[in-house]
Amino acid sequence: MSSAEREAPTVPTTAELGSLADTADVEPWGFYEQVREKGDVVLDERLNAYLVSNYDLLRAMGRADDALWKAAFVPDDENPPFGLTRVEFTWFMAFGSSQNLALLEGEPHDHQHRWWMKAFSPRLLAHWGETLIAPIANEILDDLAPRGRGELCAEFADEVAPRVIAAVMGLPSDREWVSRLLSLQASRLAYKQQQADPSPDPELRRVAFEGTQEMIEMLEPHVMSRRSGEGDDFISMVWRDAPNVFGTDAYEDVDVASVVLMAWEGGSGTTMYSTANGLYILMTHPQLQERLREGGRPAIKGFVEETLRLYGPVVFRPRTAKADTTLDGVPICKGDQVIAMTVSAGTDPGHYSCPYDVDVERPSPRDHFAFGVGGNRVCPGQGLARVELEEIADVVLRRLPNLRLDPEAEPARYRELLMRRWEPLWSLWG
Ligand code: HEM
């Protein structure tokens, strides 16, 4: 049955509420609650997609991921993303590697995903936390802390998180190199966000393609210099384990480079935005800072999970149905778009008591959807992300006493649409 043949839907719609697309740059919780009141599966007519925000339904979607739901960047020759050919798309998304996790499905995907999930062992993460993450956070605060005021998105979150990921990977972690890589990534993201647009902006495409070429040129020498696999950085690990990563000896340099691209793009913006959102929570809950200082690492761990539950940076996750199915009794046809509202489900009162409270002692602190809804595509960098966010919070609590928003400066707003954070963070401390 095609969408056109479907009977007049009894499915509730967002018609009088507007669209998820209208929530860019505004606080979306009112919209989320109204959608939830309408039902567990609600049609967003403007996006031509079903919004799902019930906690249990998202869990069920996670269990059927890949089998029933196609991820956004798995190539689809019937509906090629951005109208690109398969070769162009593979070059843009994965530097030309056909062995990139985001593009793979089935056992080749799952094999590589299993490697990623095991790659970040607790011992390695503790080592990186001590030798790389805390020192970088401290170094940035050596300049900033004595000033007593600053804008902590640009001056701290945007500095610390990408430099940490670069250092962990074995890439240069100096400011200029990292910020150039970030700006190329931003140009790629601007284009990727036009994926569903039948006629994407040609200028965005030109900039994104040129940015991709420059990114290849920036990363390539560093990827190749680790080829011996002898270091304790991520790139050396990929070389060392390459036959296991790809499940075959038939891999090429570009496949390794594409894993590096994946780690950089998966791990830099997300941790940057989560750092900012954690700072926002600290500054809007003043008693929390003392509570975390007293509670030490267990309390900080709880705080990181609450940051991810309430303000996980990736606020929804699109999927396409691979076959006709139903969701909570609503018929979904092959090809229909379904949007898992991951941050909205983080405040589902059917699952969380006092969902808007920051409670660092929740009984199952990690049961949120910030890293995906479960299943075989769940974020494999989550262990690293957690250690990074914990170390950064620990350093901030030590170095920036009495941290608060500057009441006389421009207030923080919950910015953007798919990847979201509180910005600017004009702050005072001391
Ligand atoms: C707070 C930080 C992070 C957040 C919130 C986050 C969130 C996510 C989400 C929502 C997904 C999609 C899951 C899905 O589609 O079901 C994902 C996938 C992924 N993430 Fe993360 N991530 C973070 C950090 C990292 C880091 C540090 C790395 C690696 C260094 C990483 C690597 C990846 C990769 C490789 C995938 C693709 C998995 C696949 O397609 O099988 N992420 N992440």
Side-chain angles (χ1 to χ4, degrees):
M1 181 172 70
S2 72
S3 303
E5 289 160 351
R6 190 186 305 138
E7 284 178 20
T10 49
V11 187
T13 76
T14 58
E16 72 280 14
L17 306 178
S19 161
L20 176 63
D22 301 324
T23 59
D25 287 335
V26 296
E27 293 190 29
W29 290 277
F31 176 80
Y32 291 167
E33 278 177 15
Q34 286 171 317
V35 171
R36 206 180 284 135
E37 274 164 27
K38 289 225 158 220
D40 291 338
V41 180
V42 177
L43 182 64
D44 186 320
E45 285 168 320
R46 180 161 153 212
L47 293 178
N48 193 21
Y50 293 97
L51 309 182
V52 182
S53 45
N54 172 289
Y55 185 96
D56 295 325
L57 268 186
L58 291 195
R59 273 271 169 261
M61 279 187 75
R63 284 193 290 274
D65 211 11
D66 245 21
L68 192 52
W69 307 108
K70 188 185 88 60
F73 292 116
V74 171
D76 173 357
D77 290 336
E78 283 171 34
N79 299 297
F82 321 99
L84 297 177
T85 64
R86 170 78 76 121
V87 171
E88 287 169 331
F89 181 68
T90 307
W91 180 82
F92 174 66
M93 283 299 296
F95 294 173
S97 165
S98 54
Q99 307 217 43
N100 181 281
L101 198 60
L103 275 51
L104 291 172
E105 277 188 302
E107 183 47 28
H109 169 274
D110 296 354
H111 178 92
Q112 196 177 132
H113 191 269
R114 284 194 291 275
W115 177 83
W116 275 85
M117 292 298 280
K118 284 195 206 134
F120 303 116
S121 69
R123 218 186 88 234
L124 183 63
L125 291 175
H127 170 67
W128 283 343
E130 211 177 291
T131 58
L132 297 175
I133 304 174
I136 290 174
N138 271 308
E139 187 197 311
I140 294 165
L141 289 184
D142 285 344
D143 283 340
L144 197 54
R147 284 180 17 207
R149 64 194 317 144
E151 198 284 287
L152 291 183
C153 279
E155 293 182 274
F156 184 67
D158 294 1
E159 294 277 323
V160 70
R163 281 181 58 187
V164 161
I165 291 292
V168 157
M169 289 173 69
L171 295 170
S173 62
D174 65 275
R175 202 173 164 210
E176 266 176 41
W177 195 91
V178 167
S179 85
R180 181 67 194 151
L181 204 60
L182 274 178
S183 78
L184 299 175
Q185 180 182 342
S187 69
R188 286 166 49 77
L189 186 64
Y191 184 60
K192 282 185 201 169
Q193 285 178 350
Q194 296 212 322
Q195 190 193 14
D197 195 326
S199 48
D201 181 344
E203 181 57 12
L204 279 184
R205 174 186 162 148
R206 187 189 63 75
V207 175
F209 271 57
E210 282 179 15
T212 303
Q213 183 56 41
E214 189 179 336
M215 214 170 187
I216 292 173
E217 285 158 20
M218 283 179 78
L219 291 174
E220 195 178 27
H222 302 288
V223 172
M224 296 313 288
S225 73
R226 309 270 157 175
R227 200 183 181 135
S228 70
E230 282 163 8
D232 63 0
D233 56 90
F234 180 78
I235 298 177
S236 299
M237 279 165 58
V238 180
W239 279 116
R240 206 159 50 233
D241 285 0
N244 190 18
V245 176
F246 302 112
T248 167
D249 284 334
Y251 62 87
E252 296 177 20
D253 298 347
V254 70
D255 298 319
V256 175
S258 149
V259 174
V260 173
L261 170 71
M262 214 40 211
W264 168 260
E265 294 204 323
S268 50
T270 48
T271 46
M272 202 162 98
Y273 275 41
S274 305
T275 301
N277 291 342
L279 290 167
Y280 178 80
I281 292 188
L282 283 182
M283 291 193 278
T284 47
H285 298 75
Q287 310 83 340
L288 182 63
Q289 296 175 30
E290 221 26 64
R291 164 84 184 79
L292 298 182
R293 286 190 188 98
E294 280 163 15
R297 195 48 75 115
I300 290 177
K301 282 178 186 287
F303 158 72
V304 166
E305 299 308 330
E306 284 294 86
T307 302
L308 292 166
R309 178 179 69 82
L310 288 164
Y311 304 130
V314 186
V315 303
F316 56 84
R317 189 202 75 145
R319 287 290 192 263
T320 308
K322 287 180 170 181
D324 292 353
T325 184
T326 58
L327 267 177
D328 197 37
V330 173
I332 307 287
C333 301
K334 181 179 175 191
D336 281 350
Q337 297 288 321
V338 176
I339 296 182
M341 304 277 285
T342 47
V343 162
S344 172
T347 54
D348 180 348
H351 187 79
Y352 296 103
S353 61
C354 304
Y356 292 101
D357 287 1
V358 176
D359 175 357
V360 299
E361 290 181 350
R362 284 196 186 269
S364 304
R366 293 186 172 194
D367 71 354
H368 53 73
F369 297 125
F371 295 114
V373 295
N376 51 1
R377 284 193 182 267
V378 75
C379 174
Q382 55 185 284
L384 172 58
R386 286 188 161 106
V387 169
E388 183 177 344
L389 297 172
E390 286 162 27
E391 288 293 339
I392 292 172
D394 187 65
V395 171
V396 164
L397 288 161
R398 284 176 208 280
R399 304 283 307 270
L400 303 181
N402 189 21
L403 185 60
R404 58 207 186 275
L405 287 170
D406 182 345
E408 289 173 12
E410 181 188 347
R413 284 190 304 130
Y414 194 52
R415 300 279 322 279
E416 302 173 52
L417 180 64
L418 171 58
M419 277 270 286
R420 303 200 64 161
R421 71 162 167 186
W422 291 93
E423 187 187 1
L425 292 177
W426 289 105
S427 318
L428 303 170
W429 55 87

